[in-house]
Amino acid sequence: MPKPSTNKNILKQTSDLQLVRFLYCDLGGIIRGKATHVDHLASRMESGIGLVKGMISMTSLDFLAPGASFGPVGEVRLIPDASTFARLPYAPRSAQMMCDMLELNGDAWALDPRSFLKRMTARAAEHGMYIDAAFENEFYLLRKTDTGMSRGVEPLDNSLCFSGIGMDSAERVMQDIIAALTAQNLVVEQYMPELGPGQQELSIRHADALRAADNQITYRQTIRAVAAQHDLIASFAPKPFADQAGNGAHIHWSAWNKNHTKNLFADARDANGLSKLAYHFIGGVLKHLPALLAITTPTTNSFRRLQPHFWSSAYTAWGLENREAAVRVPTRYWGHEIESTNLELKASDPSNNPYLALGALLAAGLDGVENSLAPGDAVEIDPGNWSDDERAARHIQRYPTTLSAALDALEQDDALREALGAPLAQEYLVVKRAEAEHFEGKGDGYELTQYRFKF
Ligand code: GLU
Ligand code: MG
């Protein structure tokens, strides 16, 4: 059983705490966990907390998926990663740690999403690539309009994109959110009121891939909690309102040499400033994108967001500074062109499990690297403005338009299924198919209300 060397340091700082949350994110993208009383923390850090295996087969609607491999029998242990210990500024008598799922014999469980991401970063390292990443999230702030079961809500404000009025209306809650994220060692970079009414964007600095996914858990937890302290609801639904802007959780990533001195995606001699490795990575992502969507945009609600002309991307295209491209190459910072070179996947939203999303993105990109896949030409317009024929001539496809269709693509994608490993791939498909089926025939209103408050 791993005993992180920092266990002792943690135990020294817990006298004023009561609970320490052992967190994980499940296949449905739900952040779950169990908390130990602090008096038992020392032993729990060694032996973990038991989790029934059936929880991995639970949908985001809290029913066990029909045909699930796991149910009430069998346990894994939630073993915390001591390096993720954080006191919770919004819950002063609680702290949290992210957990791995270990079999009782101490092996990583094949179904554990966090271990999957570790497997993919190890695979990248075999190619000499060390991945940095960040999730760039958008979310809505909503006010409750009644306290009944219907949970009526309205946006915090009606402000315009990037507007000064929006900044003022969200000032107090956003400042508290920023303080709470900073206290947990997330580095806040930019804030802006986004296009939708009450929609916000708050970006945080990149970190190594595993920490970036851990940060996404902290981010969602913190924003929801601090919003609640302001009597607001934070909605991370991909499309909280059918007729308003969606919420992206765009993934930015870059590849570095081992001592982090060289950005392997940058090449100053190339017209676009990109290395061969970056092109192959993009080629792999575009090739696998229809299947990848089942993991990076994994809910029925996600596919409401992925419409042409909504700046969320809808086609398998890439481009420089193109916000309708699936993979966008953002502008480099003046004077820091090499260091700031990174790629951005627009087709990602906050309903995903960040460990699975980032792991699958790496698997797709690494397949491109391993097979020297070319991404085609950069697209310089909104690909939605081309005709079907014009897109076909450039091998640009419309995304699958439903979760079920993306799951079909995943089922047929050998490279992604092999990367996940058969047990995880199979259970993921079972859980997600159960979710997709649950929403069939139930109407838009039901789906929107279910997802609005879920993540
Ligand atoms: N809200 C858009 C999305 O759904 C992104 C807008 C932008 O930041 O470019 O991804
Ligand atoms: Mg944005």
Side-chain angles (χ1 to χ4, degrees), residues 136 138 162 192 194-196 199 201 238-239 245-250 305-306 310-313 323-324 328 344 346-349:
E136 178 198 318
E138 295 161 332
F162 303 163
M192 63 209 76
E194 256 286 2
L195 177 65
Q199 193 184 24
E201 176 172 326
K239 194 83 164 170
N247 285 325
H250 310 158
R305 165 176 169 257
L306 297 174
F310 276 87
W311 300 24
S312 58
S313 80
R323 285 175 168 75
E324 282 287 347
R328 162 183 174 242
E344 176 187 26
K346 298 277 283 185
S348 167
D349 71 52

Coordinates of all heavy atoms in Angstrom, one line a residue, residues 136 138 162 192 194-196 199 201 238-239 245-250 305-306 310-313 323-324 328 344 346-349, ligand 1:
E136 N -10.5 25.1 -19.1 CA -11.0 26.5 -19.1 C -12.5 26.4 -19.1 O -13.1 26.1 -20.1 CB -10.4 27.2 -20.4 CG -10.9 28.6 -20.6 CD -10.7 29.0 -22.0 OE1 -9.7 28.7 -22.7 OE2 -11.7 29.7 -22.5
E138 N -16.5 27.5 -18.3 CA -17.6 28.5 -18.2 C -18.7 27.9 -17.3 O -18.9 26.7 -17.2 CB -18.1 28.8 -19.6 CG -17.1 29.4 -20.5 CD -17.4 29.3 -22.0 OE1 -18.0 28.4 -22.4 OE2 -16.9 30.2 -22.7
F162 N -18.7 40.1 -21.8 CA -17.5 40.9 -21.3 C -18.0 42.3 -20.7 O -17.2 43.2 -20.7 CB -16.5 41.2 -22.4 CG -16.0 39.9 -23.1 CD1 -15.3 40.0 -24.3 CD2 -16.1 38.7 -22.5 CE1 -14.8 38.9 -24.9 CE2 -15.6 37.5 -23.1 CZ -14.9 37.7 -24.4
M192 N -14.0 36.9 -16.8 CA -14.9 37.7 -17.6 C -16.3 37.2 -17.6 O -16.5 36.0 -17.5 CB -14.4 37.7 -19.1 CG -14.4 36.3 -19.7 SD -13.2 36.1 -21.0 CE -11.7 35.8 -20.1
E194 N -19.3 36.1 -19.4 CA -19.4 35.5 -20.7 C -20.7 35.9 -21.4 O -21.5 36.6 -20.9 CB -19.2 34.0 -20.6 CG -17.9 33.5 -21.1 CD -17.7 33.5 -22.6 OE1 -18.6 34.0 -23.3 OE2 -16.6 33.1 -23.1
L195 N -20.9 35.3 -22.6 CA -22.0 35.7 -23.4 C -23.4 35.5 -22.8 O -24.3 36.4 -22.9 CB -21.9 34.9 -24.8 CG -23.0 35.2 -25.8 CD1 -23.0 36.6 -26.3 CD2 -22.8 34.2 -27.0
G196 N -23.6 34.4 -22.2 CA -25.0 34.1 -21.7 C -25.3 34.9 -20.5 O -24.4 35.4 -19.8
Q199 N -23.7 34.2 -17.2 CA -22.6 33.2 -17.5 C -21.2 33.9 -17.2 O -21.0 35.0 -17.5 CB -22.6 32.8 -19.0 CG -21.7 31.6 -19.2 CD -21.7 31.2 -20.7 OE1 -21.9 32.0 -21.6 NE2 -21.4 29.9 -21.0
E201 N -16.8 33.3 -16.9 CA -15.6 32.4 -17.3 C -14.5 32.8 -16.3 O -14.2 34.0 -16.2 CB -15.2 32.7 -18.7 CG -13.9 31.9 -19.1 CD -13.6 31.9 -20.5 OE1 -14.5 31.9 -21.4 OE2 -12.3 31.9 -20.9
P238 N -23.7 21.6 -19.6 CA -23.1 22.0 -20.9 C -24.0 23.0 -21.6 O -23.6 23.9 -22.3 CB -23.1 20.7 -21.7 CG -23.0 19.6 -20.7 CD -23.7 20.1 -19.5
K239 N -25.3 22.9 -21.4 CA -26.3 23.8 -22.0 C -27.4 24.0 -21.1 O -28.5 23.3 -21.2 CB -26.8 23.2 -23.4 CG -27.5 24.2 -24.3 CD -26.6 25.0 -25.1 CE -27.3 25.7 -26.3 NZ -26.5 26.6 -27.0
A245 N -26.0 30.6 -24.7 CA -24.7 30.0 -24.9 C -24.4 28.8 -24.0 O -24.9 28.7 -22.8 CB -23.6 31.1 -24.6
G246 N -23.7 27.9 -24.5 CA -23.3 26.7 -23.7 C -22.1 26.9 -22.8 O -21.4 28.0 -22.9
N247 N -21.9 26.0 -21.9 CA -20.7 26.0 -21.0 C -19.7 25.1 -21.5 O -19.9 23.9 -21.6 CB -21.1 25.6 -19.6 CG -21.8 26.6 -18.8 OD1 -21.6 27.8 -18.9 ND2 -22.8 26.2 -17.9
G248 N -18.5 25.6 -21.9 CA -17.4 24.7 -22.3 C -16.5 24.5 -21.1 O -16.5 25.2 -20.1
A249 N -15.7 23.4 -21.2 CA -14.6 23.2 -20.3 C -13.4 22.9 -21.2 O -13.0 21.8 -21.3 CB -14.8 22.1 -19.3
H250 N -13.1 23.9 -22.0 CA -12.1 23.7 -23.1 C -10.8 23.2 -22.4 O -10.4 23.7 -21.4 CB -11.8 25.0 -23.8 CG -13.0 25.7 -24.3 ND1 -13.1 27.0 -24.6 CD2 -14.3 25.2 -24.5 CE1 -14.3 27.3 -25.0 NE2 -15.1 26.3 -25.0
R305 N -25.2 21.5 -26.8 CA -24.2 22.5 -26.9 C -23.5 22.5 -28.2 O -23.2 23.6 -28.8 CB -23.2 22.4 -25.8 CG -22.0 23.3 -25.9 CD -21.0 23.2 -24.7 NE -19.8 23.8 -25.1 CZ -18.7 23.1 -25.3 NH1 -18.6 21.8 -25.3 NH2 -17.6 23.8 -25.7
L306 N -23.2 21.3 -28.8 CA -22.2 21.2 -29.9 C -23.0 21.5 -31.2 O -23.1 20.6 -32.1 CB -21.6 19.8 -29.9 CG -20.7 19.5 -28.7 CD1 -20.3 18.0 -28.8 CD2 -19.5 20.4 -28.6
F310 N -22.0 28.3 -32.6 CA -22.1 28.7 -31.1 C -20.8 28.8 -30.5 O -20.7 28.8 -29.3 CB -23.1 27.7 -30.4 CG -24.5 28.0 -30.5 CD1 -25.3 27.6 -31.6 CD2 -25.1 28.9 -29.6 CE1 -26.6 27.9 -31.7 CE2 -26.5 29.2 -29.7 CZ -27.2 28.7 -30.8
W311 N -19.7 28.7 -31.3 CA -18.3 28.8 -30.8 C -18.0 27.7 -29.8 O -17.1 27.8 -29.0 CB -18.1 30.2 -30.1 CG -18.3 31.4 -30.9 CD1 -19.1 31.4 -32.0 CD2 -17.8 32.7 -30.8 NE1 -19.1 32.7 -32.6 CE2 -18.2 33.5 -31.8 CE3 -16.9 33.3 -29.8 CZ2 -17.9 34.8 -32.0 CZ3 -16.6 34.6 -30.0 CH2 -17.0 35.4 -31.0
S312 N -18.7 26.6 -30.0 CA -18.4 25.4 -29.1 C -17.7 24.4 -30.0 O -17.2 23.4 -29.4 CB -19.7 24.9 -28.6 OG -20.5 24.5 -29.6
S313 N -17.7 24.5 -31.3 CA -17.2 23.6 -32.3 C -18.2 22.5 -32.6 O -19.0 22.1 -31.7 CB -15.9 23.0 -32.0 OG -16.0 21.9 -31.1
R323 N -12.4 29.9 -33.3 CA -13.2 29.5 -32.2 C -14.4 28.5 -32.6 O -15.2 28.1 -31.8 CB -13.8 30.7 -31.4 CG -12.7 31.3 -30.5 CD -13.2 32.5 -29.8 NE -12.3 33.0 -28.8 CZ -11.1 33.5 -28.9 NH1 -10.6 33.8 -30.2 NH2 -10.4 33.9 -27.9
E324 N -14.4 28.2 -33.9 CA -15.4 27.2 -34.4 C -14.6 25.9 -34.7 O -15.2 25.0 -35.2 CB -16.2 27.7 -35.6 CG -17.3 28.7 -35.3 CD -18.5 28.0 -34.6 OE1 -18.6 26.7 -34.6 OE2 -19.4 28.7 -34.1
R328 N -8.2 24.3 -31.5 CA -7.8 25.7 -31.8 C -6.4 25.9 -31.3 O -6.0 25.4 -30.2 CB -8.8 26.6 -31.1 CG -8.3 28.1 -30.9 CD -9.3 28.9 -30.1 NE -8.8 30.2 -29.8 CZ -8.6 30.6 -28.6 NH1 -8.9 29.9 -27.5 NH2 -8.2 31.9 -28.4
E344 N -5.9 23.7 -27.9 CA -7.1 23.8 -27.1 C -8.2 22.9 -27.8 O -8.5 23.1 -29.0 CB -7.6 25.3 -27.1 CG -9.0 25.4 -26.4 CD -9.5 26.8 -26.5 OE1 -9.2 27.5 -27.5 OE2 -10.3 27.2 -25.6
K346 N -11.9 22.4 -28.0 CA -13.2 23.1 -27.7 C -14.3 22.1 -27.3 O -15.2 22.5 -26.6 CB -13.7 24.0 -28.9 CG -12.7 25.1 -29.3 CD -12.9 26.3 -28.5 CE -14.1 27.1 -28.9 NZ -14.1 28.4 -28.2
A347 N -14.2 20.9 -27.9 CA -15.2 19.9 -27.7 C -15.1 19.2 -26.3 O -14.8 18.0 -26.3 CB -15.2 19.0 -28.8
S348 N -15.2 20.0 -25.3 CA -15.1 19.4 -23.9 C -16.0 20.3 -23.1 O -16.0 21.5 -23.2 CB -13.6 19.5 -23.5 OG -13.5 19.3 -22.1
D349 N -16.7 19.7 -22.1 CA -17.5 20.5 -21.3 C -17.5 20.0 -19.8 O -16.9 18.9 -19.5 CB -19.0 20.5 -21.8 CG -19.7 19.2 -21.7 OD1 -19.7 18.6 -20.6 OD2 -20.2 18.7 -22.7
Ligands
GLU1 N1 -19.4 29.2 -24.7 C1 -18.7 28.6 -25.8 C2 -18.7 27.1 -25.6 O1 -19.7 26.6 -25.4 C3 -17.3 29.2 -25.8 C4 -17.2 30.6 -26.1 C5 -15.7 31.1 -26.2 O2 -15.1 31.3 -25.1 O3 -15.1 31.1 -27.2 O4 -17.7 26.4 -25.7

